[in-house]
């Protein structure tokens, strides 16, 4: 892992240091709540100032207006863009390690595994007992699969993906692709590197044409026993609990958390950075725009308690008749 000093970062980012020794070693990028003495993090939104003041980060990117007391700060014009660049410097994406054979010589397949012609398995990847990899499936470098997993044709696992036991990934699904992360800098959308991974628990089943993005820094997680229908999108750093049901064409935005036994019916949309409590049900074609407590049953746009939504719809259906009566006077 690369190592950079605080002064190196200041020079690269055209910033200046406050309350930080220039020779402080920085070796990783972390969120504020996870950062340690060798970590750099960032504060771009003032509403997270309290979290920043409680952080143990060795260095925090912030703009000239941020009041962080005597915390070690690197003052920069665009803290979020500085954070994105630091990810690229401190967590560079390794080049793929292709071998001459479809299965890399450093990969390990457990007893009873069947790897079809046309499938590929990357360096240092480990497959548990009895895994089945169909033609055209690809498993990237440094992946770990438990026992009894099955990947159907065209399924793709990006590097560092981790599967529990008996996980099924159907055709043309992609697990571990880059999350949708960009920052607007000087009139252009600059990419935020995505260097995390995806973890799928035991007995997870992924339908066809599903996309699950890896986290920015840490994991995107799908809990034990969760079943995902075809054409579902799960954004970066999403945490899905155990035994959830995600039905076709549902989309979950980044950093949202689902409890256990949550059901999202077809074409549900969920905004980012919210929580949906355990055993909640969201009806089809609904949009969840705020956090929901445990045991919620909501429908509509924006989603609200189901009975309230149905009453509102019934009233809306009566509106033309009521307007007609009003016009008659």
């Amino acid at each position: 892992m690369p190592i950079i000093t605080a002064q190196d970062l200041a020079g690269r980012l055209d910033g200046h240091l406050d309350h930080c020794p220039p020779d402080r070693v920085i070796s990783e990028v972390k969120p504020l709540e996870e950062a340690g003495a060798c970590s750099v993090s960032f504060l771009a939104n003032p509403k997270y100032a309290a979290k920043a003041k409680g952080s143990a980060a060795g260095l925090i990117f912030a703009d000239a207006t941020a009041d962080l007391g005597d915390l070690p700060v690197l003052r920069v014009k665009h803290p979020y863009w500085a954070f994105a660049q630091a990810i690229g410097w401190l967590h560079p994406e390794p080049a793929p390690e292709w071998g001459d054979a479809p299965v890399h010589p450093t990969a390990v397949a457990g007893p009873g595994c069947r790897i079809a012609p046309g499938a590929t398995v990357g360096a240092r990847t480990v497959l548990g007992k009895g895994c089945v990899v169909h033609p055209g499936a690809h498993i990237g470098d440094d992946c770990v699969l438990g026992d009894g997993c099955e990947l159907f044709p065209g399924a793709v696992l990006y590097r560092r993906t981790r599967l529990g036991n008996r996980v099924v990934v159907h055709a043309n699904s992609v697990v571990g692709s880059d999350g949708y992360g960009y920052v607007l800098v000087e009139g252009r959308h600059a990419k935020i590197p995505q260097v995390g991974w995806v973890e799928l628990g035991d007995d997870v089943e992924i339908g066809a044409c599903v996309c699950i993005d890896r986290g920015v820094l840490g994991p995107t997680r799908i809990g034990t026993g969760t079943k995902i229908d075809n054409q579902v999108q799960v954004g970066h750093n999403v945490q899905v609990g155990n035994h959830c049901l995600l039905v076709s064409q549902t989309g979950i935005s980044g950093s949202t958390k689902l409890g256990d036994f949550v059901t999202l019916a077809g074409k549900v949309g969920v905004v980012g950075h919210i929580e949906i409590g355990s055993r909640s049900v969201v009806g089809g074609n609904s949009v969840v725009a705020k956090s929901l407590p445990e045991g919620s049953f909501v429908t509509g746009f924006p989603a609200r308690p189901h009975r309230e939504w149905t009453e509102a719809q019934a009233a809306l259906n009566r509106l033309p008749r009521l307007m007609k009566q009003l016009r008659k006077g």
Side-chain angles (χ1 to χ4, degrees), residues 161-164 167 169 175 198-202 204 206 212 220 222:
T161 297
R162 303 173 187 175
L163 272 55
V167 172
V169 182
V175 180
V198 174
E199 298 177 0
L200 307 183
D202 293 347
V204 167
I206 306 297
I212 303 174
T220 298
I222 309 295

Side-chain angles (χ1 to χ4, degrees), residues 210-269:
V210 171
C211 295
I212 303 174
D213 296 342
R214 60 182 168 181
V216 179
L217 295 170
T220 298
R221 290 192 180 98
I222 309 295
T224 294
T226 287
K227 313 298 183 185
I228 301 181
D229 197 3
N230 303 333
Q231 297 182 318
V232 168
Q233 160 69 22
V234 179
H236 55 200
N237 294 103
V238 167
Q239 309 291 302
V240 176
N242 301 325
H243 306 291
C244 294
L245 299 176
L246 310 183
V247 185
S248 182
Q249 298 183 52
T250 283
I252 307 175
S253 300
S255 299
T256 282
K257 297 180 180 180
L258 276 62
D260 300 333
F261 296 98
V262 170
T263 297
L264 303 183
K267 295 186 178 180
V268 164

Side-chain angles (χ1 to χ4, degrees), residues 29 55 139 143 179 294 321:
V29 181
S55 176
I139 305 174
C143 293
E294 290 189 11
R321 178 169 56 84

Side-chain angles (χ1 to χ4, degrees), residues 1-14 26-29 40 61 74 76 81-93 193 195:
M1 182 179 293
I3 293 176
I4 300 175
T5 66
Q7 186 58 54
D8 290 335
L9 286 171
R12 295 187 189 195
L13 296 167
D14 192 25
I26 303 296
S27 61
E28 62 180 4
V29 181
V40 62
F61 296 137
L74 177 55
V76 292
W81 175 225
F83 173 77
Q85 293 178 87
I87 293 174
W89 296 329
L90 290 166
H91 302 274
E93 184 78 5
V195 298

Side-chain angles (χ1 to χ4, degrees), residues 162-180:
R162 303 173 187 175
L163 272 55
N165 298 315
R166 302 173 299 280
V167 172
V168 176
V169 182
H170 285 280
N172 299 315
S173 286
V174 179
V175 180
S177 56
D178 275 6
Y180 192 69

